[in-house]
Amino acid sequence: IVVMTPDINTYAPMIDAVFGSGPEERSIPYSVADRVAPQVEPMLQAFRHLLTIPKGRFGASDVMDLLFVESVSKRFGITPEEHDLIRCWIERNGIRWGLDASFKQELELPGDDANTWKAGFDSLLMGYAMSPDCKDSVCGILPYADIEGHSAGFLGGVIDLLDSLEKWRKAAQTTATAGEWQQRIEDLLQGFFVALPEDAQAFEQIRQAMADIVTFAKTHTEDPLPFSLSVLQSALEPKLQEPGSGNRFLSGRLTFCNFQPMRSIPFRVVC
């Protein structure tokens, strides 16, 4: 049985809500084909988000959205059980946006560390170093009291993530040739993500997209021309929007998909 829609991405959440939440004895095996890849793959969503960060303000919610993706958390040694504690640290230490005072100055704003990641990390690290009874500021830093020794490991993971984002930001601000961007993107994949089995298709799609861009550049220009991250994003986005090969069509289940020519031929029932 196939159910065809004008735009599967509009209907997919409702399909999942109805067919994915019923009791097991009444469940109907189903699959949703043709969904745009980033809406299916959390890793692809995180990768696209990573491309926008160099031009952003490093907002707390933006960084948490990236950090809480499974493959990113695993890369930086953080488990899902620790997400709530990290969110609590960020909120209670007043981390809102910005790396540090110099980052704010780049945006022509007053150069202070207030509400930046640096100010929050300084408070957390000072709290880890000092006695829980310490209520006074040390070297102008007020220690955060509610942090224990075993928490240092994944606090280090969050700090490592921000350091990696800062390095990526600096690299992304310079132009590069297609081949150089290909290496930068590969370094990005290796540095921010653990290659989980379920993400194999997403990794392949990104790498193939970069290979296509390099091939196009070699075909149309004699000398490698450097270009910016914005140009790279414009070239990558259509390729990342394409459904991957694992789009679950002809899966032997009730199939939902887009209206496309000849799609109904293999099915006995068409809705």
Side-chain angles (χ1 to χ4, degrees):
I1 301 174
V2 64
V3 180
M4 308 178 76
T5 73
D7 180 8
I8 194 63
N9 293 301
T10 299
Y11 292 96
M14 292 175 276
I15 294 169
D16 289 333
V18 173
F19 287 86
S21 60
E24 184 175 353
E25 62 272 14
R26 290 191 293 158
S27 65
I28 299 176
Y30 77 101
S31 64
V32 182
D34 301 328
R35 279 192 281 195
V36 173
Q39 295 182 337
V40 182
E41 303 283 357
M43 183 269 167
L44 267 184
Q45 290 180 322
F47 174 75
R48 293 168 72 232
H49 181 46
L50 201 53
L51 295 183
T52 68
I53 280 183
K55 293 184 179 179
R57 304 208 311 173
F58 285 78
S61 60
D62 293 333
V63 174
M64 284 192 289
D65 286 346
L66 179 64
L67 177 60
F68 295 165
V69 173
E70 182 182 6
S71 55
V72 178
S73 285
K74 287 192 174 183
R75 169 59 65 202
F76 291 94
I78 296 168
T79 65
E81 292 75 20
E82 295 156 348
H83 290 176
D84 288 340
L85 180 56
I86 292 171
R87 185 179 288 107
C88 178
W89 283 348
I90 291 171
E91 292 174 354
R92 290 188 178 182
N93 283 277
I95 299 173
R96 297 293 180 265
W97 66 276
L99 291 170
D100 51 25
S102 62
F103 180 89
K104 288 185 174 181
Q105 288 178 325
E106 291 179 19
L107 300 177
E108 301 181 354
L109 294 171
D112 61 70
D113 288 327
N115 300 117
T116 64
W117 287 97
K118 181 181 183 303
F121 288 153
D122 285 348
S123 178
L124 286 162
L125 290 171
M126 188 63 75
Y128 175 72
M130 302 301 293
S131 166
D133 298 330
C134 181
K135 305 298 182 183
D136 300 322
S137 63
V138 181
C139 298
I141 300 172
L142 184 64
Y144 178 71
D146 193 14
I147 183 169
E148 300 176 357
H150 74 279
S151 304
F154 51 91
L155 172 57
V158 181
I159 294 174
D160 287 344
L161 171 66
L162 266 294
D163 287 343
S164 297
L165 288 175
E166 169 64 358
K167 292 176 182 177
W168 161 234
R169 172 177 172 263
K170 290 179 178 178
Q173 288 176 334
T174 61
T175 59
T177 64
E180 292 168 340
W181 276 118
Q182 185 180 37
Q183 184 58 54
R184 288 183 182 181
I185 295 301
E186 183 60 33
D187 292 343
L188 208 64
L189 294 176
Q190 296 296 328
F192 283 90
F193 302 95
V194 168
L196 302 175
E198 59 266 30
D199 293 334
Q201 177 64 34
F203 273 90
E204 176 61 27
Q205 190 166 355
I206 293 169
R207 288 174 173 141
Q208 185 58 54
M210 287 305 307
D212 291 345
I213 290 172
V214 171
T215 300
F216 180 87
K218 289 180 178 179
T219 303
H220 291 80
T221 58
E222 294 183 2
D223 299 318
L225 297 175
F227 52 89
S228 67
L229 175 62
S230 297
V231 175
L232 177 68
Q233 286 178 271
S234 298
L236 266 178
E237 189 62 24
K239 297 180 181 296
L240 298 183
Q241 293 286 348
E242 296 173 0
S245 60
N247 63 359
R248 297 186 292 178
F249 190 70
L250 291 179
S251 61
R253 307 174 176 184
L254 168 62
T255 300
F256 296 86
C257 66
N258 279 328
F259 280 119
Q260 290 190 25
M262 311 297 288
R263 267 290 171 89
S264 62
I265 287 178
F267 295 93
R268 294 183 178 182
V269 180
V270 179
C271 304

